[in-house]
Amino acid sequence: MTPTIRSSLVHPGVAAALAAAALFGAGTPMAKQLLGTVDPWLLAGLLYLGSGIGLALWRLLTRAEPVKLPADQRVWLAGAVFAGGVLGPLLLMFGLSRMPASGASLLLNAEGVFTALLAWFVFKENFDRRIALGMVAIVAGALVLSWPGEARIGEAWPALAVLGACAAWAVDNNLTRKVALADATWVASIKGLVAGSVNLALGLAIGASLPPAPWLAGALLLGLGAYGVSLTLFVVALRHLGTARTGAYFSVAPFFGAALAVAWLGEPVTPALLVAGALMAAGVWLHLTERHAHAHAHQAEEHDHEHEHDVHHQHEHAEGPVAGRHSHPHRHEPLTHTHEHFPDAHHRHSH
């Protein structure tokens, strides 16, 4: 492994994004074991709810500081929760109930594409040919993995509903970036509680019933890991990498799930898995070897988030020097310099 790739892998944003993908992907074959007993839509609600409840309890037990979002950020979080926790599931339920599963599984790959397109062309996140090619390779790998041999889409409106769900989750991802400097466990718990409640209510509304207690507990615990911890890491990655790059790394989740299915469930290693793995590896390599540096200007800004005193945080404390990570309202003075960077919370400048 080259020093360049090694240094990228230990970058907090890259490590968080890949860990989030691994946890989410690994949850798929585990959830498959529950599907024989738990209704699919109800299971989605229990997984999200396990995420929200588990993280809320974690924050209570660790006495986490209450989060007070600035007024201008509350609308972003509300929009993300509505798009990803309410509108997305509703559209997906409508689509899945009226179209073949083979076509739906392929259409769901559009989420990563929509996420990147919104980040690049609406929210003006920088990208270059290398990043675009990497995204294409990763999405191509996901398409290979989900290709059923013969995909049937059915009528147009259900297919459009599934694509609408993907667009809603893409909006969710981009809006969540706006609040990514807030405590990641808090953001993930709010989204989990809302999405879990909506999905659970939808499942019960279509006639599903709660499973026996052991299966119920298993679904909630699986949700805490595969959704709660994963979403927390996803928010951390958004903070460091921006939306499109985080979405690209997260898109390798199906490969982690397929690899675990081979190792744990004894499923065969197929040509599709090998091709998908190669495409995704190429895409991740393109992203890991990205080097973006130029002279850029930071405008004066005041905000509150967890940080340590680095080149972007050179301020004094009344009580004297403070070491390690800490959180408080602080001001960034205007600064112009050159260094390698990602489109993170402090590098949203135009090019």
Side-chain angles (χ1 to χ4, degrees):
M1 185 183 297
T2 66
T4 297
I5 295 179
R6 188 181 301 114
S7 63
S8 295
L9 284 172
V10 298
H11 184 280
V14 174
L18 290 175
L23 283 170
F24 186 80
T28 301
M30 294 181 182
K32 186 176 181 179
Q33 304 304 299
L34 297 171
L35 283 176
T37 304
V38 187
D39 176 84
W41 202 259
L42 197 67
L43 178 58
L46 292 174
L47 291 172
Y48 276 116
L49 208 55
S51 157
I53 293 173
L55 290 175
L57 289 175
W58 169 258
R59 292 181 53 78
L60 183 65
L61 292 173
T62 58
R63 299 182 179 179
E65 290 290 330
V67 173
K68 295 181 180 179
L69 275 184
D72 61 338
Q73 292 187 20
R74 293 171 192 166
V75 65
W76 299 122
L77 180 60
V81 169
F82 174 76
V86 179
L87 186 58
L90 279 170
L91 289 171
L92 182 63
M93 186 181 72
F94 174 83
L96 287 178
S97 65
R98 293 166 174 81
M99 71 177 299
S102 60
S105 65
L106 287 176
L107 291 176
L108 286 172
N109 288 303
E111 180 186 347
V113 178
F114 289 162
T115 295
L117 292 177
L118 279 176
W120 294 339
F121 298 110
V122 176
F123 293 93
K124 304 303 181 182
E125 190 172 293
N126 77 281
F127 73 102
D128 55 24
R129 185 181 302 174
R130 186 184 199 86
I131 293 301
L133 286 175
M135 186 71 196
V136 169
I138 291 170
V139 171
L143 287 170
V144 170
L145 269 183
S146 59
W147 181 256
E150 180 184 353
R152 293 183 297 112
I153 299 298
E155 298 178 5
W157 283 113
L160 290 174
V162 174
L163 289 174
C166 293
W169 288 319
V171 170
D172 174 11
N173 294 336
N174 278 277
L175 295 185
T176 299
R177 183 195 172 179
K178 298 284 190 179
V179 297
L181 288 179
D183 188 300
T185 59
W186 179 81
V187 174
S189 68
I190 294 297
K191 295 180 72 174
L193 287 170
V194 173
S197 299
V198 170
N199 281 278
L200 188 65
L202 290 173
L204 294 174
I206 62 175
S209 57
L210 291 175
W215 296 92
L216 179 64
L220 293 173
L221 286 173
L222 178 59
L224 175 58
Y227 285 63
V229 178
S230 176
L231 181 53
T232 299
L233 292 169
F234 187 87
V235 174
V236 171
L238 286 173
R239 183 184 304 165
H240 290 283
L241 301 178
T243 313
R245 288 162 179 80
T246 299
Y249 283 120
F250 191 77
S251 294
V252 305
F255 181 77
F256 283 113
L260 182 61
V262 170
W264 183 38
L265 302 178
E267 294 188 4
V269 177
T270 64
L273 179 59
L274 296 176
V275 171
L279 285 168
M280 289 181 169
V284 169
W285 175 79
L286 286 168
H287 281 252
L288 289 177
T289 52
E290 175 196 11
R291 289 296 175 265
H292 180 78
H294 59 89
H296 55 277
H298 296 270
Q299 303 301 319
E301 181 181 15
E302 292 187 21
H303 56 187
D304 183 353
H305 67 92
E306 189 179 46
H307 62 278
E308 57 188 10
H309 287 179
D310 55 21
V311 67
H312 295 103
H313 296 88
Q314 297 292 328
H315 50 259
E316 296 181 353
H317 293 255
E319 64 273 21
V322 175
R325 299 192 67 79
H326 56 285
S327 178
H328 63 86
H330 58 277
R331 175 179 172 81
H332 293 270
E333 298 297 337
L335 173 67
T336 300
H337 60 178
T338 302
H339 65 96
E340 291 186 356
H341 58 277
F342 291 104
D344 59 25
H346 295 96
H347 297 91
R348 298 178 181 175
H349 48 261
S350 59
H351 290 74

